[in-house]
């Protein structure tokens, strides 16, 4: 299962301002969330905010967010198998559930592309915890924008991990030049230098 939504937005430096859609009609933009993304050290100096229309341009852009999950049954079955000593079967099930979550995320991303009228390969899907946006705290902001808790029965741990584990949250970047990149630091380095 999954949830997704479109929001008006503009970039400002390394930040993406997410506006209340109702505030567009009132001509006074109300910021619902602000996502501040890290900028790549060296290389092309990339940042996800660069892929959206800037506030200075006066144009309003659109961003999509999505959350998908295979639900709690996979985790529950995994735990039952482990308790029974069926480790091989448990790990096969876990791998299948992880792959199903990724397939669901890819399917929903394709659906979003179709709704936006984009070619099948245009844009990218970025998830928190991966090289372009390694920190997980923004999962909380995504949960405030989308009904992941009520519609999908999901939650977050105190470290902002998704529960159930076989789930993903992502920001959809529709820019034709979007590409995957890392911010130039390893996860170990990020933990050492907060």
């Amino acid at each position: 299962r999954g949830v997704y939504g479109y929001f008006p937005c503009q970039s400002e430096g390394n930040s993406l301002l997410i506006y209340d859609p109702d505030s567009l009609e009132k001509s006074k933009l109300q910021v619902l969330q602000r996502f501040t993304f890290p900028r790549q050290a060296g290389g092309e100096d990339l940042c996800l905010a660069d892929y959206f229309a800037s506030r200075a341009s006066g144009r309003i852009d659109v961003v999509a967010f999505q959350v998908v999950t295979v639900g709690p049954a996979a985790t529950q079955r995994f735990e039952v198998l482990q308790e029974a000593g069926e480790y091989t079967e448990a790990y096969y099930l876990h791998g299948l559930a992880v792959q199903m979550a990724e397939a669901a995320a890819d399917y929903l991303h394709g659906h979003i592309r179709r709704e936006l009228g984009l070619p099948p390969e245009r844009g990218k899907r970025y998830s928190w915890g991966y090289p372009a946006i390694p920190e997980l705290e923004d999962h909380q902001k995504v949960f405030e924008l989308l009904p992941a808790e009520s519609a999908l029965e999901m939650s977050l741990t105190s470290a902002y991990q998704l529960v159930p584990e076989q789930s993903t949250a992502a920001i959809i970047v529709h820019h034709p030049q979007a590409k995957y990149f890392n911010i130039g630091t390893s996860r170990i380095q990020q933990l050492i230098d907060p």
Side-chain angles (χ1 to χ4, degrees):
R1 297 185 299 156
V3 293
Y4 69 102
Y6 302 105
F7 297 88
C9 67
Q10 291 177 319
S11 66
E12 185 175 62
N14 291 357
S15 295
L16 187 63
L17 307 175
I18 309 301
Y19 298 122
D20 180 345
D22 294 334
S23 71
L24 290 176
E25 294 175 11
K26 300 174 186 170
S27 299
K28 183 163 169 78
L29 297 173
Q30 179 184 356
V31 176
L32 289 177
Q33 291 293 348
R34 175 187 289 263
F35 290 85
T36 301
F37 299 111
R39 184 163 293 283
Q40 185 180 41
E44 296 177 63
D45 198 35
L46 298 173
C47 174
L48 289 184
D50 297 341
Y51 292 126
F52 294 93
S54 71
R55 192 172 185 183
S57 75
R59 294 178 311 163
I60 302 294
D61 211 334
V62 65
V63 63
F65 293 95
Q66 69 176 46
V67 179
V68 301
T69 184
V70 297
T75 301
Q76 293 163 358
R77 180 70 180 143
F78 175 79
E79 290 170 357
V80 167
L81 289 169
Q82 282 222 306
E83 288 172 15
E86 298 287 338
Y87 301 114
T88 300
E89 190 67 25
Y91 288 116
Y92 285 142
L93 173 70
H94 184 270
L96 176 62
V98 168
Q99 289 301 310
M100 289 299 296
E102 180 60 26
D106 192 52
Y107 174 82
L108 189 52
H109 184 195
H111 178 75
I112 290 168
R113 280 183 175 124
R114 286 187 299 277
E115 283 193 343
L116 291 174
L118 301 175
E121 297 304 317
R122 180 168 164 180
K124 299 290 182 211
R125 173 173 46 96
Y126 300 86
S127 291
W128 288 268
Y130 287 90
I133 43 175
E135 301 304 325
L136 300 176
E137 290 86 356
D138 283 347
H139 278 157
Q140 181 65 48
K141 294 177 183 179
V142 175
F143 272 45
E144 290 170 10
L145 292 171
L146 299 176
E149 292 169 299
S150 61
L152 304 178
E153 300 175 27
M154 291 181 63
S155 62
L156 296 172
T157 69
S158 59
Y160 305 102
Q161 295 280 345
L162 301 171
V163 177
E165 175 189 354
Q166 297 84 7
S167 307
T168 68
I171 179 173
I172 308 301
V173 177
H174 60 79
H175 195 283
Q177 295 174 336
K179 62 182 176 179
Y180 293 118
F181 61 93
N182 67 50
I183 59 166
T185 58
S186 70
R187 183 65 180 138
I188 294 169
Q189 194 61 45
Q190 291 167 356
L191 294 171
I192 293 170
D193 301 327

